[in-house]
Amino acid sequence: YHADTHSISYTTLSRFPPVILLPPTQRKRILVTGGAGFVGSHLVDRLMLLGHEVTVIDNFFTGSKTTVSHWVGHPNFELVRHDVVEPFMIECDQIYHLACPASPPHYQFNAVKTIKTSFMGTLNMLGLAKRTKARFLISSTSEVYGDPEVHPQPEDYWGHVNPIGPRACYDEGKRVAETLAYGFHRQDGVDIRVARIFNTYGPRMNPFDGRVVSNFIVQALRGEDMTVYGDGTQTRSFQYIHDLIDGLIALMNSDETRPVNIGNGDEFTIGQFAELVRDIVEKVQKEDGDLPKRKVQIAYKPMPTDDPQKRRPDTTRAKEVLDWEPKWTVRMGLEEMVRYYKAKIVEGSM
Ligand code: NAD
Ligand code: UDP
């Protein structure tokens, strides 16, 4: 059964961004778990615009109803409060399984719940995929490589993870989630896709979730010290959200069942990255005629336990099998995000 978009009045549909009217044979029923989060809400936007029927399930632990509220009431969209630790019944063609807190302060807030979300949540969603024969994509992470001894990280590197450290609830949770996916694939023929996502940033990222991009931009916009953990020589490679969404949709619709890294190869030390963010914030403020009261300073804070020293994706596989590569430079993406947070501060919602 497909909701019949054609029978909805023009007045009702004109409240929403214009979506493609796909014929029922091409319109897919897509479940997005964690669809009210940062990545999920951008994925939902793209799938809706492409004309599919999208159901979001989310327990709103780190996500928010407002990220997808612009679709509520659309005949192709449904938002359900549900915790993936419990089974969920629906008929669907594709499942993007994203539900899991992603920032270190959030996933360490309740480590046991994070492991349950990764293990039981993935088990439940794979069970659903098995019954419905839906194609299943899991949002895994570069954290499966831990503090890597191989640089950059290709998909065949097995990783270097401390199984009992504070990050283990997330890293080992994702590793076991991948193991479960391959178990269901080999035993039950579930059609799986595994995306190993590297650090991603963009609008709608919770400004207070403690990740480095949001912290630095918010601090610089407020004229506060930018907090660099450790001596700032650890590296990360940052990709803009629209590139990630292109990669996830390309992977879902490809034939590739091996894990695929999705990330941007532009690598920065965290110290360099702080300076880049400070420059971009200053540039945007100058363009808008906002003269900062003083130059933002860098404050050095203790290094968190088990913080990976280096991280950069080897994206050869994504290029070869998906013909995907990132299009957004870090400078372009940061400028967009600075403007987004600045507008939020001006309107008083942040
Ligand atoms: P996020 O915290 O913004 O979104 C996660 C969403 O999942 C939230 O809406 C949250 O409420 C929901 N959720 C959490 N636990 C749940 C549960 N038990 N039941 C139902 N919903 C639950 O994080 P994000 O950055 O959007 O990350 C989305 C996915 O991508 C995660 O699986 C994350 O591990 C993965 N990922 C993200 C990044 C990144 O840089 N953003 C990097 C690697 C992997
Ligand atoms: N980091 C930092 N200052 C901050 C937040 C994070 O220096 O205010 C560092 C953190 O120690 C890590 C890097 O930035 O080395 C990326 O941290 P984030 O939490 O964004 O992601 P992850 O560690 O999961 O890659």
Side-chain angles (χ1 to χ4, degrees):
Y1 169 77
H2 289 277
D4 186 1
T5 315
H6 302 272
S7 68
I8 305 295
S9 77
Y10 177 75
T11 329
T12 307
L13 281 180
S14 63
R15 285 199 285 125
F16 300 102
V19 308
I20 294 173
L21 289 180
L22 285 179
T25 47
Q26 287 176 32
R27 199 187 309 158
K28 295 208 159 46
R29 300 160 303 173
I30 303 179
L31 176 66
V32 181
T33 78
F38 159 54
V39 175
S41 66
H42 284 277
L43 177 65
V44 166
D45 281 354
R46 194 76 74 81
L47 296 172
M48 284 294 297
L49 293 173
L50 288 169
H52 298 293
E53 272 185 53
V54 178
T55 301
V56 165
I57 59 174
D58 203 295
N59 70 352
F60 306 118
F61 171 44
T62 53
S64 148
K65 285 176 213 165
T66 57
T67 62
V68 287
S69 54
H70 48 287
W71 293 116
V72 172
H74 193 286
N76 287 359
F77 181 75
E78 202 172 343
L79 173 62
V80 183
R81 179 191 289 267
H82 181 81
D83 194 308
V84 291
V85 164
E86 303 296 334
F88 187 71
M89 295 290 279
I90 193 171
E91 301 307 315
C92 56
D93 306 305
Q94 293 186 341
I95 302 170
Y96 287 88
H97 179 44
L98 273 54
C100 183
S103 96
H106 284 155
Y107 69 63
Q108 290 172 25
F109 172 75
N110 184 341
V112 174
K113 176 69 192 214
T114 300
I115 303 165
K116 280 172 77 177
T117 295
S118 271
F119 178 68
M120 294 165 69
T122 306
L123 181 66
N124 286 330
M125 294 308 117
L126 280 161
L128 177 64
K130 179 180 167 185
R131 180 180 62 77
T132 56
K133 299 193 169 41
R135 186 174 285 179
F136 176 92
L137 180 147
I138 182 157
S139 60
S140 184
T141 167
S142 52
E143 298 279 342
V144 299
Y145 303 124
D147 191 3
E149 302 128 310
V150 172
H151 192 74
Q153 294 81 54
E155 289 87 349
D156 56 12
Y157 174 51
W158 289 358
H160 180 224
V161 174
N162 173 0
I164 57 167
R167 297 174 83 98
C169 56
Y170 184 72
D171 302 5
E172 297 288 18
K174 290 287 186 180
R175 285 167 69 96
V176 82
E178 284 195 15
T179 310
L180 268 174
Y182 285 99
F184 272 82
H185 177 60
R186 293 192 188 108
Q187 265 173 249
D188 301 301
V190 173
D191 193 15
I192 59 158
R193 303 288 180 268
V194 177
R196 290 191 181 148
I197 304 171
F198 283 65
N199 296 62
T200 305
Y201 67 97
R204 297 200 197 134
M205 206 168 165
N206 180 333
F208 307 110
D209 75 0
R211 283 185 268 190
V212 70
V213 184
S214 40
N215 274 8
F216 283 178
I217 297 178
V218 172
Q219 289 162 345
L221 279 171
R222 292 186 162 160
E224 295 165 1
D225 291 350
M226 297 168 86
T227 52
V228 167
Y229 300 159
D231 61 6
T233 55
Q234 72 273 34
T235 71
R236 292 292 187 276
S237 311
F238 298 98
Q239 80 175 322
Y240 195 55
I241 183 69
H242 297 326
D243 283 330
L244 171 62
I245 302 304
D246 288 345
L248 291 178
I249 293 177
L251 176 59
M252 174 64 104
N253 295 297
S254 77
D255 293 329
E256 184 57 66
T257 53
R258 296 173 300 172
V260 179
N261 287 340
I262 304 187
N264 186 318
D266 269 354
E267 184 180 4
F268 295 84
T269 69
I270 294 302
Q272 288 167 336
F273 191 66
E275 284 172 21
L276 176 66
V277 171
R278 182 167 60 183
D279 285 353
I280 292 172
V281 169
E282 275 177 7
K283 174 179 169 276
V284 169
Q285 283 173 326
K286 258 193 209 133
E287 280 171 9
D288 294 357
D290 299 332
L291 292 174
K293 291 183 200 80
R294 66 172 185 109
K295 191 164 178 73
V296 169
Q297 304 297 311
I298 291 178
Y300 291 88
K301 301 277 175 192
M303 186 71 156
T305 308
D306 293 341
D307 200 288
Q309 271 306 304
K310 274 179 184 294
R311 182 178 296 153
R312 172 154 60 97
D314 177 337
T315 51
T316 314
R317 183 173 289 171
K319 172 78 185 133
E320 275 173 13
V321 299
L322 308 178
D323 194 21
W324 173 91
E325 53 190 347
K327 297 189 182 77
W328 285 72
T329 64
V330 173
R331 193 167 261 282
M332 277 157 53
L334 282 176
E335 223 174 292
E336 287 284 311
M337 196 166 166
V338 167
R339 291 206 172 275
Y340 170 81
Y341 279 162
K342 191 163 182 279
K344 290 247 161 228
I345 290 174
V346 170
E347 77 181 20
S349 63
M350 201 178 105

